[in-house]
């Protein structure tokens, strides 16, 4: 029987991960080198992983255990802030193994099964298994089917088996449902952990604490006091060497359908009855279900796309999207998207939520900004204060995690002059220690059986249903796409989108 009792968020930080063996499919890929192994090594150095632990790298490349260990040491040396200490690394490396694995070769899964049983005996991993699909999505089906055929999808020893699936979870509503159906043929939903690394970021988790741990915010967290919300995920970089992938995705699929909507649900959800995983996830999926569906005739008024042209980044000339490697020179793939969402419930009725994400903007920043309504009557004379700046509550997700509150104060002097000031909270300076990486938190949660910060099947499908009308409408229009210069804040059409409502985009 699956032993997946969810943990409360407030208690999990004091616990050490269960004994387990982690099998990483795609062990020679960038995700494993840049994120997964460095995250596991940091957890090991913090004593959050016990000795009953092992990692098995699985990919088609022939390699010995020592070859894999050496490759992972080089990865940590290059990508991790926690550089390999000789003693710590020696202990950690002794728990790294490798199995050449081909999803089309059943014998390679028989060898994997045997290696896992040997590791159970030698390292005390208690037959607990965590499979991680760090492969391209096109390999998900073969890997899942092969695990089922090898009987590795369950345990008869009272231990647990779980699987982590990386995004993208499909590329449209139909493929997302097909992926869920494929997964559910082999694994039960409670075994499945769909990872969205944005939810592992410290400031995203702090939204729950900010809202439900303070008496001064939640009473104002509604349509009576909030004018609108802006959610921004801006990147200075272009598509780099991912032109082939981006041509199939675009920013609406790559960012807004998953990361940005996950942030939106954290902002918009009702207080859960407890911090138990499904209580939190139930409230988040309710937000998606309450979001207003897009009608084809309204999409041009509620959604804007754009594509970056040549321009300047850090003072250097950079090419336009259509000049990037792997990109169709006549491409209409969007690198900028701005969408106006509405949540049709009692808390959020008539509060627009403006979401934008893009490549090659002026600054790298991800933030949630909440503008409160203006005071009903201004007491201060026009010649001394002008129109008061609105109050803003801003949650900065990256690059510098923190929260700021903007409010009005009197300027020192004889006259009544009002100026905006900010109260700032920064994680680094306030707590004196660096926030853990998102993958550290999420990997530890999966080992401990806490799916709170993972996406559930119904949430994924509802998110796709929400954005599909926009994707369908844009796919029909291959005559014109607004352009914006690299290093700017996006196309003019995006400014027009929000200014029609009498508002303006923040310049972070």
């Amino acid at each position: 029987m699956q032993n997946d009792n969810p943990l409360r968020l407030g208690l999990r930080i004091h616990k050490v991960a269960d004994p387990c063996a982690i099998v990483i499919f795609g062990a020679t890929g960038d995700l494993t080198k840049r994120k997964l192994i460095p995250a596991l090594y940091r957890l090991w150095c913090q004593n959050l992983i016990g000795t009953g632990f092992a990692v098995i790298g699985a990919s088609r490349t022939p390699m010995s255990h020592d070859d894999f260990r050496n490759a992972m040491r080089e990865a940590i040396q290059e990508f991790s802030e926690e550089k390999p200490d000789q003693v710590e690394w020696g202990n950690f490396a002794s728990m790294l193994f490798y199995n050449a694995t081909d999803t089309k070769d059943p014998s390679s899964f028989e060898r994997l099964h045997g290696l896992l049983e040997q590791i159970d005996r030698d390292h005390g991993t208690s037959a607990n298994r965590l499979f991680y699909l760090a492969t391209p999505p096109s390999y998900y089906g073969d890997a899942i089917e092969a695990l089922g055929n090898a009987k590795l999808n369950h345990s008869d020893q009272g231990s647990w088996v779980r699987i982590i699936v990386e995004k993208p979870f499909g590329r449209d509503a139909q493929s997302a449902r097909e992926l869920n159906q494929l997964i559910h043929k082999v694994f039960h939903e409670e075994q499945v952990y769909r990872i969205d690394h944005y939810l592992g970021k410290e400031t995203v988790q702090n939204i729950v604490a900010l809202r439900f741990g303070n008496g001064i915010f939640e009473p104002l967290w509604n349509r009576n006091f909030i004018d609108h919300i802006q959610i921004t995920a801006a990147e200075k970089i272009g598509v780099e060497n991912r032109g082939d992938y981006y041509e199939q995705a675009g920013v609406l699929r790559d960012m807004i359908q998953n990361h940005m909507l996950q942030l939106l649900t954290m902002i918009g959800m009702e207080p859960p009855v407890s911090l138990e995983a499904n209580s939190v996830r139930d409230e988040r999926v309710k937000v998606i279900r309450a979001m207003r569906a897009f009608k084809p005739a309204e999409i041009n008024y509620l959604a804007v796309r754009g594509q970056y042209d040549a321009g300047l980044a850090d003072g250097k000339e950079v090419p336009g999207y259509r000049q990037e490697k792997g990109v169709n020179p006549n491409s209409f793939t969007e690198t900028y998207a701005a969408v106006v969402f509405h949540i049709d419930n009692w808390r959020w009725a008539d509060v627009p939520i403006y979401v934008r994400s893009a490549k090659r903007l002026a600054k790298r920043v991800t933030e949630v900004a909440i503008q409160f309504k203006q005071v009903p009557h201004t007491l201060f004379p026009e010649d001394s204060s002008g129109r008061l700046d609105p109050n803003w509550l801003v949650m900065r997700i990256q690059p510098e995690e923190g929260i700021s509150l903007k409010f009005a104060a009197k300027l020192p002097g004889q006259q009544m002059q009002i100026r905006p000031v900010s109260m700032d909270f920064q994680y680094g300076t306030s707590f004196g220690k660096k926030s853990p990486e998102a993958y550290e938190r999420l990997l530890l949660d999966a080992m401990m059986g806490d799916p709170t910060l993972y996406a559930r099947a119904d949430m994924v499908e509802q998110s796709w249903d929400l954005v599909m009308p926009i994707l369908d409408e844009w796919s029909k229009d291959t005559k014109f796409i607004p352009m914006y210069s690299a290093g700017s804040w996006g196309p003019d059409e995006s400014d027009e989108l929000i200014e029609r409502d009498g508002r303006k985009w923040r310049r972070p």
Side-chain angles (χ1 to χ4, degrees), residues 130 179 201 299 314 333 421 462:
L130 178 60
L179 176 60
K201 293 180 181 293
I299 286 172
D314 294 326
T333 299
V421 296
Q462 290 283 338

Side-chain angles (χ1 to χ4, degrees), residues 199 204 207-208 211 262-269 284:
L199 292 183
V204 175
I207 293 171
V208 175
R211 287 189 57 187
Q262 294 290 347
L263 280 177
L264 194 158
T265 62
M266 301 285 277
I267 294 295
M269 72 179 187
R284 283 168 44 205

Side-chain angles (χ1 to χ4, degrees), residues 1 57 70 81 97 126 246 269 272 280 285 373 391 395 450:
M1 189 70 180
N70 291 335
E81 293 185 10
F97 302 89
S126 301
Y246 220 79
M269 72 179 187
V280 175
V285 79
K373 290 184 176 180
N391 302 128
M395 287 158 275
D450 183 355

